[in-house]
Amino acid sequence: MRSPIACLLALGALLAPLAWSSSSRADASAWTFVGAGAVGWKQGDGDLVLDSALSLDVGVGTTPDAPVIVGGLMRATPLLDSGIDLALLARVATRGFQAGQLGFALDAGGYRRFWGAGSTGVAGALTLGAPLGISLSLQGSYGTDDAVAFGAIAGIDLLRLTVYRKALLPVWPNPFPAQERGRDVASR
């Protein structure tokens, strides 16, 4: 009968080659957007209501070095006089959008409304990105109980302003941009 220590050592010796790795690189894009604007919404036979709204997005995507970035995000849209809509969206964005320059992102997915009569449906947005993470998002949704909403939200993406920013580098350097971090780590 073999001792448990000998078995563990043998198993460790067999698994040790799996721990070895050559240089690797795993850059990812990320979004953290906060904004405010107005949303018009209507549900069922009700009248069109115009509410002030906030928008909070958090998401991740593929490498920021690619010409097209694909990812996903969660969006919370509190309608200040009504309730909150939550959405889970897929995103396709340009490299210019991600780098805090000029570009755009297209979002599409589903949403759920937990207030009022409630609703479940599809949601989408076209977000225009300007330098320093400034964004204008045109959002819309359509769901059960004839719920429809559309609006415009202006705000800033905090990660595109800081970590991913490639705009205004001569006057405001980005000391450790995400796009170069992977190269630095891989070369060590």
Side-chain angles (χ1 to χ4, degrees), residues 124-163:
L126 173 64
T127 303
L128 306 173
L132 304 178
I134 296 169
S135 301
L136 174 63
S137 182
L138 305 174
Q139 301 178 4
S141 64
Y142 179 76
T144 58
D145 194 28
D146 293 324
V148 64
F150 56 90
I153 305 287
I156 190 162
D157 188 305
L158 301 172
L159 291 176
R160 289 178 37 235
L161 171 65
T162 57
V163 177

Short mmCIF file of all heavy atoms in Angstrom, two decimals, residues 124-163:
data_model
loop_
_atom_site.label_atom_id
_atom_site.label_comp_id
_atom_site.label_asym_id
_atom_site.label_seq_id
_atom_site.Cartn_x
_atom_site.Cartn_y
_atom_site.Cartn_z
N GLY A 124 -32.71 48.24 -27.47
CA GLY A 124 -31.56 48.53 -28.29
C GLY A 124 -31.11 49.97 -28.11
O GLY A 124 -31.84 50.79 -27.54
N ALA A 125 -29.91 50.24 -28.59
CA ALA A 125 -29.38 51.60 -28.49
C ALA A 125 -28.30 51.80 -29.53
O ALA A 125 -27.59 50.87 -29.90
CB ALA A 125 -28.82 51.86 -27.10
N LEU A 126 -28.18 53.03 -29.98
CA LEU A 126 -27.07 53.48 -30.79
C LEU A 126 -26.37 54.55 -29.97
O LEU A 126 -26.99 55.55 -29.59
CB LEU A 126 -27.53 54.06 -32.13
CG LEU A 126 -26.44 54.71 -32.97
CD1 LEU A 126 -25.40 53.67 -33.39
CD2 LEU A 126 -27.03 55.39 -34.18
N THR A 127 -25.11 54.31 -29.64
CA THR A 127 -24.36 55.24 -28.80
C THR A 127 -23.25 55.85 -29.62
O THR A 127 -22.41 55.13 -30.19
CB THR A 127 -23.78 54.53 -27.57
OG1 THR A 127 -24.86 53.91 -26.85
CG2 THR A 127 -23.07 55.50 -26.66
N LEU A 128 -23.24 57.17 -29.70
CA LEU A 128 -22.20 57.90 -30.40
C LEU A 128 -21.16 58.31 -29.37
O LEU A 128 -21.49 58.95 -28.37
CB LEU A 128 -22.79 59.12 -31.09
CG LEU A 128 -23.97 58.83 -32.02
CD1 LEU A 128 -24.59 60.11 -32.53
CD2 LEU A 128 -23.52 57.95 -33.17
N GLY A 129 -19.90 57.96 -29.63
CA GLY A 129 -18.82 58.25 -28.69
C GLY A 129 -17.96 59.39 -29.19
O GLY A 129 -17.58 59.44 -30.35
N ALA A 130 -17.65 60.30 -28.31
CA ALA A 130 -16.78 61.44 -28.59
C ALA A 130 -15.52 61.31 -27.75
O ALA A 130 -15.44 60.45 -26.87
CB ALA A 130 -17.52 62.74 -28.28
N PRO A 131 -14.53 62.17 -27.98
CA PRO A 131 -13.31 62.09 -27.16
C PRO A 131 -13.61 62.18 -25.67
O PRO A 131 -14.61 62.76 -25.24
CB PRO A 131 -12.50 63.30 -27.63
CG PRO A 131 -12.93 63.49 -29.06
CD PRO A 131 -14.40 63.15 -29.05
N LEU A 132 -12.72 61.58 -24.89
CA LEU A 132 -12.77 61.59 -23.43
C LEU A 132 -13.94 60.81 -22.86
O LEU A 132 -14.38 61.05 -21.75
CB LEU A 132 -12.76 63.01 -22.88
CG LEU A 132 -11.58 63.87 -23.34
CD1 LEU A 132 -11.69 65.27 -22.78
CD2 LEU A 132 -10.27 63.22 -22.98
N GLY A 133 -14.49 59.86 -23.61
CA GLY A 133 -15.56 59.01 -23.11
C GLY A 133 -16.93 59.64 -23.10
O GLY A 133 -17.88 59.06 -22.61
N ILE A 134 -17.06 60.86 -23.64
CA ILE A 134 -18.37 61.52 -23.70
C ILE A 134 -19.23 60.79 -24.72
O ILE A 134 -18.78 60.45 -25.80
CB ILE A 134 -18.22 63.01 -24.05
CG1 ILE A 134 -17.44 63.71 -22.92
CG2 ILE A 134 -19.56 63.67 -24.27
CD1 ILE A 134 -17.00 65.10 -23.24
N SER A 135 -20.50 60.54 -24.36
CA SER A 135 -21.37 59.73 -25.22
C SER A 135 -22.78 60.28 -25.26
O SER A 135 -23.25 60.88 -24.30
CB SER A 135 -21.44 58.29 -24.69
OG SER A 135 -20.17 57.70 -24.63
N LEU A 136 -23.44 60.04 -26.39
CA LEU A 136 -24.87 60.31 -26.54
C LEU A 136 -25.50 59.00 -26.99
O LEU A 136 -25.15 58.45 -28.03
CB LEU A 136 -25.14 61.40 -27.58
CG LEU A 136 -26.61 61.63 -27.91
CD1 LEU A 136 -27.37 62.12 -26.66
CD2 LEU A 136 -26.76 62.61 -29.05
N SER A 137 -26.42 58.50 -26.18
CA SER A 137 -27.05 57.21 -26.44
C SER A 137 -28.51 57.42 -26.80
O SER A 137 -29.27 58.02 -26.04
CB SER A 137 -26.93 56.32 -25.19
OG SER A 137 -27.49 55.06 -25.42
N LEU A 138 -28.91 56.92 -27.96
CA LEU A 138 -30.31 56.94 -28.39
C LEU A 138 -30.85 55.55 -28.13
O LEU A 138 -30.41 54.58 -28.75
CB LEU A 138 -30.40 57.32 -29.87
CG LEU A 138 -29.72 58.63 -30.25
CD1 LEU A 138 -29.74 58.84 -31.75
CD2 LEU A 138 -30.35 59.80 -29.52
N GLN A 139 -31.79 55.43 -27.18
CA GLN A 139 -32.25 54.14 -26.70
C GLN A 139 -33.72 53.92 -27.02
O GLN A 139 -34.49 54.88 -27.08
CB GLN A 139 -32.04 54.04 -25.19
CG GLN A 139 -30.60 54.21 -24.76
CD GLN A 139 -30.42 54.16 -23.25
OE1 GLN A 139 -31.36 53.93 -22.50
NE2 GLN A 139 -29.19 54.35 -22.81
N GLY A 140 -34.08 52.66 -27.19
CA GLY A 140 -35.48 52.32 -27.42
C GLY A 140 -35.78 50.91 -26.94
O GLY A 140 -34.88 50.09 -26.79
N SER A 141 -37.07 50.66 -26.69
CA SER A 141 -37.49 49.31 -26.29
C SER A 141 -38.93 49.08 -26.68
O SER A 141 -39.71 50.03 -26.84
CB SER A 141 -37.30 49.11 -24.78
OG SER A 141 -38.14 49.98 -24.05
N TYR A 142 -39.28 47.80 -26.84
CA TYR A 142 -40.65 47.41 -27.13
C TYR A 142 -40.91 46.10 -26.40
O TYR A 142 -40.10 45.17 -26.47
CB TYR A 142 -40.89 47.22 -28.63
CG TYR A 142 -42.29 46.79 -28.93
CD1 TYR A 142 -43.34 47.71 -28.89
CD2 TYR A 142 -42.58 45.47 -29.22
CE1 TYR A 142 -44.64 47.32 -29.14
CE2 TYR A 142 -43.89 45.07 -29.49
CZ TYR A 142 -44.91 46.00 -29.44
OH TYR A 142 -46.20 45.61 -29.67
N GLY A 143 -42.05 46.02 -25.69
CA GLY A 143 -42.29 44.81 -24.92
C GLY A 143 -43.76 44.45 -24.77
O GLY A 143 -44.64 45.05 -25.40
N THR A 144 -44.00 43.49 -23.91
CA THR A 144 -45.35 43.00 -23.65
C THR A 144 -46.23 44.10 -23.10
O THR A 144 -45.75 45.11 -22.58
CB THR A 144 -45.32 41.83 -22.65
OG1 THR A 144 -44.69 42.26 -21.44
CG2 THR A 144 -44.55 40.64 -23.22
N ASP A 145 -47.54 43.91 -23.22
CA ASP A 145 -48.54 44.90 -22.81
C ASP A 145 -48.36 46.20 -23.59
O ASP A 145 -48.58 47.29 -23.08
CB ASP A 145 -48.47 45.14 -21.29
CG ASP A 145 -49.70 45.89 -20.78
OD1 ASP A 145 -50.78 45.77 -21.40
OD2 ASP A 145 -49.56 46.62 -19.77
N ASP A 146 -47.92 46.08 -24.85
CA ASP A 146 -47.71 47.23 -25.74
C ASP A 146 -46.85 48.32 -25.11
O ASP A 146 -47.10 49.51 -25.27
CB ASP A 146 -49.05 47.82 -26.19
CG ASP A 146 -49.81 46.87 -27.10
OD1 ASP A 146 -49.16 46.18 -27.90
OD2 ASP A 146 -51.06 46.82 -27.00
N ALA A 147 -45.81 47.91 -24.38
CA ALA A 147 -44.89 48.87 -23.77
C ALA A 147 -43.89 49.33 -24.82
O ALA A 147 -43.28 48.52 -25.52
CB ALA A 147 -44.16 48.24 -22.60
N VAL A 148 -43.72 50.62 -24.94
CA VAL A 148 -42.75 51.19 -25.86
C VAL A 148 -42.05 52.35 -25.14
O VAL A 148 -42.67 53.07 -24.35
CB VAL A 148 -43.42 51.65 -27.18
CG1 VAL A 148 -44.41 52.77 -26.95
CG2 VAL A 148 -42.40 52.05 -28.22
N ALA A 149 -40.76 52.48 -25.39
CA ALA A 149 -39.99 53.58 -24.79
C ALA A 149 -38.91 54.02 -25.76
O ALA A 149 -38.38 53.21 -26.53
CB ALA A 149 -39.37 53.14 -23.47
N PHE A 150 -38.59 55.29 -25.74
CA PHE A 150 -37.50 55.84 -26.56
C PHE A 150 -36.97 57.06 -25.83
O PHE A 150 -37.69 57.74 -25.11
CB PHE A 150 -38.00 56.20 -27.96
CG PHE A 150 -39.16 57.15 -27.94
CD1 PHE A 150 -38.97 58.53 -27.97
CD2 PHE A 150 -40.46 56.67 -27.88
CE1 PHE A 150 -40.06 59.39 -27.93
CE2 PHE A 150 -41.55 57.53 -27.84
CZ PHE A 150 -41.34 58.90 -27.87
N GLY A 151 -35.67 57.30 -26.01
CA GLY A 151 -35.10 58.44 -25.33
C GLY A 151 -33.67 58.71 -25.73
O GLY A 151 -33.07 57.97 -26.52
N ALA A 152 -33.12 59.76 -25.18
CA ALA A 152 -31.74 60.17 -25.41
C ALA A 152 -31.07 60.38 -24.06
O ALA A 152 -31.62 61.05 -23.18
CB ALA A 152 -31.70 61.44 -26.24
N ILE A 153 -29.89 59.81 -23.92
CA ILE A 153 -29.13 59.89 -22.68
C ILE A 153 -27.72 60.39 -23.02
O ILE A 153 -27.05 59.81 -23.87
CB ILE A 153 -29.01 58.51 -21.98
CG1 ILE A 153 -30.39 57.88 -21.74
CG2 ILE A 153 -28.19 58.60 -20.72
CD1 ILE A 153 -31.20 58.52 -20.65
N ALA A 154 -27.28 61.44 -22.37
CA ALA A 154 -25.91 61.95 -22.53
C ALA A 154 -25.14 61.65 -21.26
O ALA A 154 -25.68 61.72 -20.16
CB ALA A 154 -25.93 63.44 -22.80
N GLY A 155 -23.87 61.30 -21.41
CA GLY A 155 -23.08 61.00 -20.23
C GLY A 155 -21.63 60.73 -20.56
O GLY A 155 -21.14 61.11 -21.63
N ILE A 156 -20.97 60.03 -19.65
CA ILE A 156 -19.55 59.76 -19.80
C ILE A 156 -19.26 58.32 -19.40
O ILE A 156 -19.84 57.80 -18.45
CB ILE A 156 -18.71 60.75 -18.96
CG1 ILE A 156 -17.24 60.63 -19.30
CG2 ILE A 156 -18.96 60.57 -17.48
CD1 ILE A 156 -16.43 61.83 -18.87
N ASP A 157 -18.39 57.69 -20.15
CA ASP A 157 -17.92 56.35 -19.82
C ASP A 157 -16.60 56.51 -19.07
O ASP A 157 -15.61 56.98 -19.64
CB ASP A 157 -17.72 55.52 -21.09
CG ASP A 157 -17.43 54.07 -20.76
OD1 ASP A 157 -16.46 53.82 -20.00
OD2 ASP A 157 -18.15 53.20 -21.25
N LEU A 158 -16.60 56.16 -17.81
CA LEU A 158 -15.44 56.41 -16.97
C LEU A 158 -14.21 55.60 -17.37
O LEU A 158 -13.08 56.08 -17.23
CB LEU A 158 -15.80 56.13 -15.51
CG LEU A 158 -16.97 56.98 -14.99
CD1 LEU A 158 -17.40 56.52 -13.61
CD2 LEU A 158 -16.60 58.45 -15.00
N LEU A 159 -14.38 54.40 -17.90
CA LEU A 159 -13.23 53.61 -18.35
C LEU A 159 -12.69 54.11 -19.68
O LEU A 159 -11.47 54.09 -19.89
CB LEU A 159 -13.61 52.13 -18.43
CG LEU A 159 -13.87 51.47 -17.08
CD1 LEU A 159 -14.33 50.03 -17.25
CD2 LEU A 159 -12.64 51.54 -16.19
N ARG A 160 -13.55 54.55 -20.58
CA ARG A 160 -13.08 55.12 -21.84
C ARG A 160 -12.37 56.46 -21.60
O ARG A 160 -11.52 56.86 -22.37
CB ARG A 160 -14.23 55.29 -22.82
CG ARG A 160 -14.73 53.95 -23.34
CD ARG A 160 -15.91 54.04 -24.29
NE ARG A 160 -15.86 55.16 -25.17
CZ ARG A 160 -16.84 56.08 -25.27
NH1 ARG A 160 -17.93 55.98 -24.53
NH2 ARG A 160 -16.72 57.07 -26.10
N LEU A 161 -12.70 57.14 -20.51
CA LEU A 161 -12.03 58.39 -20.15
C LEU A 161 -10.64 58.12 -19.57
O LEU A 161 -9.72 58.89 -19.79
CB LEU A 161 -12.86 59.16 -19.12
CG LEU A 161 -12.20 60.37 -18.47
CD1 LEU A 161 -11.94 61.46 -19.50
CD2 LEU A 161 -13.04 60.90 -17.33
N THR A 162 -10.48 57.02 -18.87
CA THR A 162 -9.23 56.77 -18.15
C THR A 162 -8.41 55.65 -18.78
O THR A 162 -7.48 55.90 -19.53
CB THR A 162 -9.53 56.44 -16.67
OG1 THR A 162 -10.41 55.31 -16.61
CG2 THR A 162 -10.17 57.62 -15.96
N VAL A 163 -8.75 54.43 -18.53
CA VAL A 163 -7.94 53.27 -18.91
C VAL A 163 -7.77 53.13 -20.42
O VAL A 163 -6.69 52.84 -20.90
CB VAL A 163 -8.56 51.98 -18.33
CG1 VAL A 163 -7.80 50.75 -18.77
CG2 VAL A 163 -8.60 52.07 -16.81
#
